């Protein structure tokens, strides 16, 4: 046996060149994205770090960098959390409807329409939020002020223009809805048929089947989806800039007309008339947002990894 | 507790595709009934129509009658969820819930439909079900560990424990040993013998020796021809099926001349 194979030359793998080319392309793509991210970070660091110690006039009406960026970061997180609280349950519901409840004839168009939401430019959402949604939410603000005023979030007085964190958060919620829905839908659809049938065969209703077999399986995917949505909400610029009338404060009050801006919207609205000093300050706030978003994503991945490890054991 | 099942003129469809045609048979209470036949002849489809699991596939439906102790299974007033609580099922591949402990897996069915149990009662159900499934001795010290940590054979016995924890009237088994080694298979077969005292069992199997070993009655399914629906060729006492079947096709299949 061995003698015969020795005589023949080893056949070369037929796809050798194609494999190498593709591997090169894939590696290049992967390295490029890393390099781009690193370049962004380097740019932010070089241009932004000097912004931390500029003269007090650059931080008007505040006096130094950290209080200045602190209020902005607070506003960013607050608006993003409002958006998540509104969007996440909606997105989960829509995704579940598409994957497990709706008849096929309905599921496909609904999925399509939700995906279309992602194609609307954020400026349009901003305009709509400021011009249409805000005024329409004024009665809601008044109602919340009156009936839920004991909560710090709704302490009031309710804004009469509707230009509030609540409105901004609602607009953001609509903007992050498609990404959360799309990912959740994909994960839900992939829930193992065998596990679903195990639940159904025990006499589970559809909802119980979802709770027993779909959610445990989809947990890490849901966290990823929500984190991606949060990332988008944290970084969203125009919609928030157009809706909010900002002032540098710390407040949990979502419905008053005194609101903190977000980092991104503050950059967008201050960028045009910025002095070089102010520009450095703005870039420094961008650096803070970058680091913060990175940290949030990192923490989320860690949570997911840990829960998956527990699953495997 | 155990019930008999009467099937008459049952046609089973996937959408417009007729998968199984004209089945008539009677499953006796407290006995083991085996369905044998070549792949794709509709054995599993037939089994799944006995607890209305067939219809969870979009477009799937049945025509004809399935009576469980005189009550029609497909009556419009019957809730399929209620049917599945009374007619349990064990699948081809063991499928314990991956995020749950052994303990919680056994109780999964009991905790459905918002039923609450006292701790002592729950402990009791878990121990009784695991004992019945011949798994208690192996897992009693690690009930809190994930069900997925068990071996394949143990997982399948865990699934059987889960199915009998809700005290069903009928237990359907869809090739329960096809993913298991011979020792685990033998353990499951012994278990089927014991469970027969209390339950009506219907088992689908590819293994004819297994059908001969565990069942009292056997149904042989086959395709009428390629592309044609499956049908029940012969239904008889297992002893007769394997020694002197009425139908020549049955004899050919059992003696290994085809399929």
């Amino acid at each position: 046996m061995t003698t015969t194979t020795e005589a023949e030359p080893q056949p070369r793998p037929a796809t050798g060149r194609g494999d190498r080319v593709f591997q090169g392309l894939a590696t290049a793509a992967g390295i490029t994205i890393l390099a781009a991210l690193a370049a962004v970070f380097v740019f932010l660091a070089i241009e932004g770090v000097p912004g931390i110690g500029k003269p007090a006039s650059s931080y008007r009406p505040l006096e130094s960098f950290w209080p200045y960026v602190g209020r902005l970061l607070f506003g960013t997180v607050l608006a993003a959390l409002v958006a998540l609280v509104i969007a996440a349950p909606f997105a989960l519901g829509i995704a579940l409807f598409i994957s497990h409840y709706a008849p096929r004839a309905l599921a496909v168009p609904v999925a399509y329409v939700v995906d279309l939401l992602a194609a609307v430019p954020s400026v349009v959402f901003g305009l709509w939020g400021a011009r249409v949604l805000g005024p329409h939410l004024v009665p809601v603000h008044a109602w919340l002020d009156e009936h839920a005023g004991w909560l710090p979030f709704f302490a009031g007085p309710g804004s009469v223009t509707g230009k509030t964190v609540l409105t901004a958060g609602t607009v953001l919620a609509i903007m992050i809805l498609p990404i959360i829905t799309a990912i959740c839908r994909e994960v839900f659809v992939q829930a193992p048929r065998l596990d679903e049938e195990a639940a159904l065969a025990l006499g589970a209703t559809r909802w119980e089947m979802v709770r027993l077999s779909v959610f445990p399986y989809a947990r890490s995917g849901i966290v990823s989806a929500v984190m991606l949505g949060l990332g988008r909400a944290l970084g969203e610029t125009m919609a928030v800039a157009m809706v909010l009338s900002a002032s540098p404060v710390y407040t949990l009050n979502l419905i008053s007309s005194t609101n903190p801006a977000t980092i991104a919207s503050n950059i967008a609205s201050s960028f045009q008339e910025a002095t070089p000093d102010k520009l450095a300050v703005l870039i420094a706030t961008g650096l803070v947002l970058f680091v913060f978003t990175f940290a949030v994503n990192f923490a989320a991945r860690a949570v997911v990894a840990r829960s998956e490890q527990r699953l495997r054991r | 507790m155990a019930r008999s099942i009467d099937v008459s003129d049952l046609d089973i469809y996937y959408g417009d595709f007729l998968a199984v045609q004209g089945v008539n048979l009677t499953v006796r209470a407290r006995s083991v009934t085996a369905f044998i036949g070549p792949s794709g002849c509709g054995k599993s489809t037939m089994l799944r129509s006995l607890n209305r699991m067939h219809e969870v596939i979009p477009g799937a439906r049945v025509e004809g009658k399935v009576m469980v102790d005189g009550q029609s299974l497909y009556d419009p007033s019957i809730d399929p969820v209620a049917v599945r609580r009374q007619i349990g099922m064990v699948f081809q591949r063991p499928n314990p819930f991956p995020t749950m402990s052994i303990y919680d897996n056994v109780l999964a069915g009991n905790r459905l439909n918002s039923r609450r149990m006292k701790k002592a009662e729950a402990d009791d159900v878990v121990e009784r079900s695991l004992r019945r499934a011949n798994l208690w001795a192996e897992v009693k010290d690690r009930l809190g560990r994930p069900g997925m940590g068990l071996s394949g054979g143990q997982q399948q016995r865990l699934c059987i424990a889960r199915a009998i924890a809700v005290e069903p009237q009928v237990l359907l088994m869809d090739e329960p040993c096809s993913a298991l080694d011979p020792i685990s298979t033998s353990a499951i077969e012994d278990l089927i013998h014991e469970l027969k005292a209390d339950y009506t069992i219907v088992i689908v199997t590819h293994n004819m020796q297994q059908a001969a070993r565990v069942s009292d009655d056997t149904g042989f399914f086959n395709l009428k021809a390629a592309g044609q629906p499956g049908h029940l060729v012969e239904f008889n006492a297992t002893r007769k099926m394997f020694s002197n079947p009425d139908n020549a096709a049955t004899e050919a299949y059992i003696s290994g001349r085809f399929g």
Side-chain angles (χ1 to χ4, degrees):
Chain A
M1 271 291 223
T2 43
T3 47
T4 53
T5 48
E6 259 174 312
E8 289 166 16
Q10 282 286 316
R12 289 167 62 90
T15 54
R17 179 186 291 169
D19 261 6
R20 274 200 307 279
V21 169
F22 189 76
Q23 186 189 1
L25 282 175
T27 311
I31 289 175
T32 308
I33 191 71
L34 280 181
L37 199 65
V40 169
F41 181 75
V42 168
F43 160 78
L44 284 174
I46 292 175
E47 300 275 316
V49 169
I52 295 172
K54 293 292 178 191
S57 64
S58 311
Y59 306 109
R60 244 184 328 236
L62 298 160
E63 263 140 39
S64 65
F65 179 71
W66 294 112
Y68 180 79
V69 76
R71 283 157 178 75
L72 288 174
L73 186 61
F74 176 81
T76 308
V77 173
L78 187 64
L81 285 183
V82 170
L84 266 196
V85 166
I86 298 173
F90 254 102
L92 284 181
I94 296 171
L96 206 55
F97 176 74
I98 293 170
S99 68
H100 282 84
Y101 281 87
R104 244 192 113 67
L106 196 57
V108 175
V110 170
Y112 185 68
V113 168
V114 174
D115 284 348
L116 267 189
L117 272 183
V120 178
S122 63
V123 179
V124 175
F125 275 120
L127 268 179
W128 174 76
R131 296 265 158 182
V132 181
L133 183 66
H136 275 91
L137 282 182
V138 170
V140 176
H141 286 82
W143 187 90
L144 283 171
D145 183 18
E146 195 176 323
H147 293 93
W150 49 276
L151 283 170
F153 307 111
F154 306 122
S159 162
V160 290
T161 56
K163 296 194 163 204
T164 62
V165 175
L166 185 65
T167 306
T170 310
V171 174
L172 282 178
I174 297 168
M175 299 179 68
I176 65 176
L177 198 64
I179 181 111
I180 304 183
T181 307
I183 297 176
C184 287
R185 187 187 68 207
E186 287 303 313
V187 186
F188 290 165
V189 167
Q190 283 168 18
R193 182 96 208 140
L194 202 64
D195 285 1
E196 293 180 6
E197 294 200 336
L200 287 175
L202 280 174
T205 60
R206 190 112 56 129
W207 168 236
E208 286 168 334
M209 180 268 280
V210 166
R211 262 188 3 218
L212 271 178
S213 311
V214 180
F215 280 165
Y217 173 83
R219 199 166 42 191
S220 70
I222 295 173
V223 174
S224 303
V226 169
M227 281 306 136
L228 274 173
L230 180 62
R232 174 134 197 239
L234 287 173
E236 179 47 46
T237 310
M238 287 320 294
V240 183
M242 293 165 87
V243 170
L244 277 186
S245 52
S247 44
V249 289
Y250 284 111
T251 174
L252 285 172
N253 194 342
L254 303 178
I255 59 170
S256 86
S257 44
T258 315
N259 303 295
T262 70
I263 290 179
S265 73
N266 180 59
I267 293 175
S269 47
S270 316
F271 176 73
Q272 288 293 335
E273 63 265 27
T275 60
D277 276 2
K278 181 75 176 182
L279 194 62
V281 172
L282 290 180
I283 294 177
T285 62
L287 179 63
V288 170
L289 179 60
F290 183 89
V291 171
F292 182 77
T293 313
F294 217 78
V296 167
N297 264 307
F298 215 74
R301 300 281 156 205
V303 169
V304 172
R306 217 180 48 190
S307 83
E308 276 184 347
Q309 211 167 32
R310 207 173 44 222
L311 210 75
R312 223 173 293 130
R313 235 184 318 118
Chain B
M1 195 144 104
R3 297 279 172 92
S4 63
I5 306 173
D6 283 297
V7 177
S8 45
D9 297 328
L10 192 69
D11 295 340
I12 312 178
Y13 293 86
Y14 291 99
D16 291 331
F17 174 69
L18 178 60
V20 180
Q21 190 174 32
V23 175
N24 289 285
L25 59 82
T26 298
V27 174
R28 288 182 294 137
R30 290 196 175 77
S31 74
V32 179
T33 302
F35 293 165
I36 60 171
S39 294
C41 67
K43 314 179 291 288
S44 293
T45 303
M46 176 65 216
L47 189 76
R48 290 163 63 93
S49 70
L50 296 181
N51 70 340
R52 299 192 64 169
M53 278 298 285
H54 174 62
E55 68 200 46
V56 306
I57 296 162
R61 64 201 164 87
V62 305
E63 284 171 12
K65 258 192 186 161
V66 180
M67 308 285 280
V68 178
D69 264 13
Q71 171 69 56
S72 171
L73 208 60
Y74 284 91
D75 192 273
S77 67
I78 298 283
D79 179 4
V81 169
V83 168
R84 293 176 202 137
R85 309 214 79 209
Q86 290 168 8
I87 304 183
M89 191 161 194
V90 176
F91 293 83
Q92 221 172 81
R93 287 200 356 246
N95 55 356
F97 294 116
T99 49
M100 287 188 188
S101 66
I102 294 169
Y103 186 92
D104 290 333
N105 256 294
V106 176
L107 285 176
N110 300 64
R111 283 179 174 154
L112 289 173
N113 309 117
S114 315
R115 284 206 306 180
R116 295 194 178 276
M117 285 178 125
K118 291 208 185 72
K119 176 85 170 93
E121 192 191 347
D123 287 348
D124 195 46
V125 169
V126 170
E127 179 170 350
R128 197 172 56 220
S129 307
L130 286 172
R131 277 190 193 283
R132 293 246 46 185
N134 289 337
L135 191 60
W136 176 252
E138 292 155 67
V139 301
K140 65 175 190 284
D141 300 322
R142 45 172 173 158
L143 292 174
R145 304 295 302 275
M148 293 302 268
L150 300 173
S151 75
Q154 289 173 326
Q155 285 185 25
Q156 193 63 304
R157 278 179 281 154
L158 176 60
C159 292
I160 294 174
R162 181 176 68 188
I164 59 181
V166 294
E167 311 204 339
Q169 291 153 352
V170 180
L171 199 56
L172 307 178
M173 298 179 152
D174 188 358
E175 298 184 42
C177 303
S178 65
L180 304 183
D181 66 273
I183 293 172
S184 304
T185 300
S186 149
I188 303 266
E189 286 181 9
D190 291 345
L191 176 58
I192 292 172
H193 270 297
E194 292 167 25
L195 292 175
K196 192 168 83 167
D198 297 318
Y199 298 93
T200 303
I201 297 176
V202 184
I203 178 171
V204 166
T205 176
H206 263 296
N207 179 334
M208 280 180 284
Q209 281 72 38
Q210 181 170 65
R213 282 192 300 262
V214 302
S215 72
D216 303 302
D217 296 311
T218 299
F220 170 53
F221 287 80
N222 200 0
L223 296 172
K224 283 178 173 162
Q228 293 282 305
H231 69 138
L232 180 62
V233 177
E234 181 171 354
F235 188 82
N236 248 323
T238 300
R239 191 165 298 165
K240 181 166 168 51
M241 286 287 269
F242 282 86
S243 57
N244 180 26
D246 290 335
N247 193 303
T250 312
E251 185 168 20
Y253 183 73
I254 285 171
S255 61
R257 264 183 275 139
F258 91 100

